[in-house]
Amino acid sequence: MNYIFLDEIQHVQDYQKAVDSLFVKKNADVYITGSNAYFMSGELATLLSGRFVELKMLPLSFKEYVSAFEEPFSKEELYRNYVYNSSFPYTVGLKTRRNIHAYLDGIYNTVVLNDIVARRKIQDPLMLKSVIKFMFDNIGNLCTVKKIADSMTSAGRKISNHTVENYLEGITDSLLMYRVSRYDIKGREYLRLQDKYYLADIGLRYYLLGLQNADQGRILENIVYLELIRRDYTVYVGKIGTAEVDFVAQDYGGNVEYYQVSWTVRDERTRNRELMPLDTIADHNPKYLLTMDNDPPVLHNGIRQVFVLDWLLNL
C-alpha cells in the first residue's frame, strides 16, 4: 500500500483529475488536506462522491492544551495562556511572546493575503483588513452586513453591502471565523438576519488588537462555541421571545442542549439575568449555565451551573 499525502493541492491546476486517477488505484491510500471550507464542495467532491470521508480540524482544545504542560499551573493560569498565546499547536513550544507574535503574524498574513485576497480577487486589501479588525473586535455580537458597512463608512471608509458580504464569505471560507445563525426556540424556525461570528483562535485577536476592548465574557463564549463544534454539535444562537440563549446545540441524533455563558454570576442580578432565558424554555432538554466561578455545581430550577474550565476538561 502506498500512502499519499497532498497538502493544499487546490493550488495546482486540474488537481481534481490527478486525485481521481490516484483513487482508482488499489494500492493507493490518499489523504488530502486543505484550509478552505469549500475545498471538498466542488468538482473534487463530485468526482470522489461516496469514496471519501471528510474530517474537520480545529486548533487545540483546552484539554489538549493543558496536556502539553507538566508544570503545576492552575486551571485559570492555563486558560489565560490558552487564549492569549493561541491554541495553534506550534505555539505550545514557543517560549517567548515575541516568537508567538511572529508565528501568528505569519498565519494571519498567509490566510488574509493568500486564502482571501487571492481567491476572492480583492482589489482593496486594506479595506478587507479593516473589516477583519471590526469582526475580531465584535466576536459574539449580533452582526448584519448593513451594520458592518455603516460602521466602516462612519469610520471614513465607504464600502457597499455587496463588498462586505463578499469579504465575510472569504473570511468564513478561509476558516478564520465561523458564522452562527439564529434559531427561534419557541417558533422552531431559523432566522435569516443578524448572525454571530466566532474566531478559530483567540490568540489571533490579541495579535491583531492587543488587549484593547478585550471582553472576557465574549472571549469565553467563543471558547465554548469552539468546544461544542469539536464535540460534533450543530450550534445555533437561540432566541426565545425578546431574550437570547447563547447556544442551542444539537447532536446527530437530534438531541438538544441549551447553554448560557457568563464570566461570573456571583452577583444575584447577573445570575437572574442569565438564568431567565433558560427558565423561559418550556421543554425539558438539558440546560447549562457555564461560568468562570470556581464553585461546586449547583442546580437552579433544573438548570445546571458548572465551572466552565471543568466542563472544557470533561471533569
Side-chain angles (χ1 to χ4, degrees):
M1 180 63 69
N2 297 278
Y3 297 93
I4 302 166
F5 294 84
L6 304 172
D7 183 36
E8 303 292 351
I9 191 64
Q10 70 273 14
H11 296 299
V12 178
Q13 186 175 355
D14 293 331
Y15 73 94
Q16 300 94 335
K17 297 176 182 177
V19 171
D20 187 45
S21 69
L22 290 170
F23 262 72
V24 299
K25 298 181 182 298
K26 294 183 179 180
N27 63 338
D29 194 4
V30 183
Y31 296 81
I32 309 167
T33 61
S35 56
N36 199 282
Y38 59 77
F39 177 56
M40 289 299 292
S41 63
E43 184 182 348
L44 184 61
T46 302
L47 285 171
L48 304 182
S49 179
R51 293 185 289 159
F52 72 91
V53 175
E54 182 180 9
L55 301 176
K56 296 180 180 179
M57 304 297 293
L58 286 163
L60 295 177
S61 68
F62 181 59
K63 185 175 183 179
E64 290 167 333
Y65 183 84
V66 168
S67 70
F69 297 90
E70 296 180 356
E71 298 179 47
F73 296 106
S74 69
K75 295 175 189 175
E76 290 81 359
E77 186 176 3
L78 285 165
Y79 173 80
R80 286 193 297 271
N81 292 339
Y82 175 66
V83 296
Y84 183 57
N85 290 334
S86 168
S87 57
F88 286 117
Y90 191 74
T91 60
V92 171
L94 299 176
K95 302 302 181 184
T96 68
R97 180 62 193 170
R98 180 178 181 179
N99 288 341
I100 291 171
H101 189 276
Y103 177 72
L104 293 178
D105 181 74
I107 288 179
Y108 175 76
N109 283 293
T110 297
V111 170
V112 172
L113 296 179
N114 292 353
D115 284 359
I116 303 178
V117 173
R119 290 173 190 268
R120 292 270 162 181
K121 297 180 173 59
I122 289 172
Q123 302 299 315
D124 190 353
L126 290 179
M127 178 62 86
L128 171 64
K129 290 182 178 182
S130 294
V131 171
I132 289 174
K133 279 188 176 182
F134 177 87
M135 298 305 297
F136 278 25
D137 199 31
N138 283 274
I139 55 172
N141 290 328
L142 291 172
C143 288
T144 64
V145 169
K146 185 178 185 303
K147 176 183 176 181
I148 298 166
D150 289 347
S151 296
M152 294 294 102
T153 301
S154 65
R157 304 211 66 190
K158 188 172 179 58
I159 185 173
S160 70
N161 289 357
H162 175 75
T163 300
V164 170
E165 193 168 2
N166 183 44
Y167 288 179
L168 288 178
E169 287 179 1
I171 291 168
T172 53
D173 282 345
S174 68
L175 305 179
L176 189 62
M177 300 191 82
Y178 294 87
R179 177 190 283 115
V180 185
S181 300
R182 298 170 74 213
Y183 178 75
D184 188 325
I185 297 170
K186 187 175 181 179
R188 300 191 180 280
E189 62 179 353
Y190 302 103
L191 305 174
R192 294 184 179 182
L193 299 177
Q194 294 187 313
D195 297 326
K196 286 189 176 185
Y197 292 82
Y198 294 100
L199 257 171
D201 173 68
I202 292 296
L204 285 171
R205 186 202 180 279
Y206 283 112
Y207 150 79
L208 195 63
L209 302 179
L211 297 173
Q212 67 181 29
N213 301 324
D215 185 330
Q216 294 303 320
R218 295 295 185 192
I219 289 171
L220 180 61
E221 190 179 309
N222 198 128
I223 297 299
V224 169
Y225 168 74
L226 293 175
E227 183 62 25
L228 286 170
I229 61 174
R230 278 192 192 92
R231 297 181 184 183
D232 282 335
Y233 287 101
T234 300
V235 182
Y236 305 95
V237 174
K239 178 183 177 296
I240 181 79
T242 59
E244 182 181 288
V245 176
D246 287 330
F247 300 120
V248 179
Q250 185 177 45
D251 67 17
Y252 285 114
N255 303 301
V256 173
E257 297 176 353
Y258 302 106
Y259 291 86
Q260 200 75 329
V261 183
S262 180
W263 187 257
T264 179
V265 293
R266 285 179 175 159
D267 176 77
E268 184 178 1
R269 287 179 299 178
T270 303
R271 182 168 60 253
N272 291 338
R273 185 183 69 239
E274 297 294 338
L275 290 172
M276 185 273 292
L278 295 175
D279 265 328
T280 308
I281 301 171
D283 64 45
H284 299 289
N285 291 311
K287 303 169 187 175
Y288 298 91
L289 173 59
L290 304 179
T291 82
M292 282 293 287
D293 299 326
N294 193 355
D295 302 327
V298 61
L299 283 176
H300 305 280
N301 192 28
I303 301 166
R304 189 179 180 194
Q305 181 181 330
V306 180
F307 179 38
V308 67
L309 298 189
D310 283 347
W311 180 81
L312 288 169
L313 293 168
N314 275 322
L315 297 178

